[in-house]
Amino acid sequence: MDEKCWSQAAAIEDVPPGKSKAVNISGKSILLCHDDRIYAVENQCSHAHEALDCGRIKHGWVACPVHGARFDLETGEAINPPATEPIATFPVRIVDGIIEVAI
């Protein structure tokens, strides 16, 4: 039995490949990123505390648009300076064309 609390985030067509979409779930800003699959990460850089939704997505990472710090979409780990701390990641599933995220 799945004990996670899933919330509807967006329709799959709202996040085309190579794009992202910021959504608010339970008072948290979550960034949905469509790279090779859909990922959900905290929409805030751990270094500059800036929103990541204008950042570039490529090869499994999202880049902060302010200082260029990159974060792994699967693990949230900081890939390069100036960020050293990870960002939160969240489980994702697709149900009937709707992206759902567990917070």
Side-chain angles (χ1 to χ4, degrees):
M1 182 173 201
D2 193 347
E3 297 297 325
K4 292 181 175 72
C5 182
W6 294 93
S7 297
Q8 292 186 346
I12 188 73
E13 62 265 12
D14 291 341
V15 190
K19 301 294 182 185
S20 65
K21 179 180 181 66
V23 296
N24 190 313
I25 301 173
S26 300
K28 295 180 186 270
S29 183
I30 306 296
L31 187 63
L32 303 174
C33 301
H34 193 164
D35 194 25
D36 58 331
R37 63 181 177 92
I38 302 289
Y39 298 89
V41 299
E42 177 180 11
N43 187 24
Q44 181 172 298
C45 174
S46 65
H47 164 256
H49 305 290
E50 295 286 337
L52 296 172
D53 54 330
C54 291
R56 188 169 53 143
I57 298 168
K58 195 172 185 181
H59 304 300
W61 50 259
V62 61
C64 176
V66 178
H67 295 115
R70 291 179 292 155
F71 300 92
D72 185 285
L73 289 171
E74 187 159 351
T75 67
E77 292 298 317
I79 297 172
N80 66 292
T84 57
E85 297 296 316
I87 58 173
T89 61
F90 305 95
V92 173
R93 69 182 184 188
I94 311 296
V95 178
D96 296 329
I98 302 296
I99 302 166
E100 294 184 348
V101 178
I103 299 294

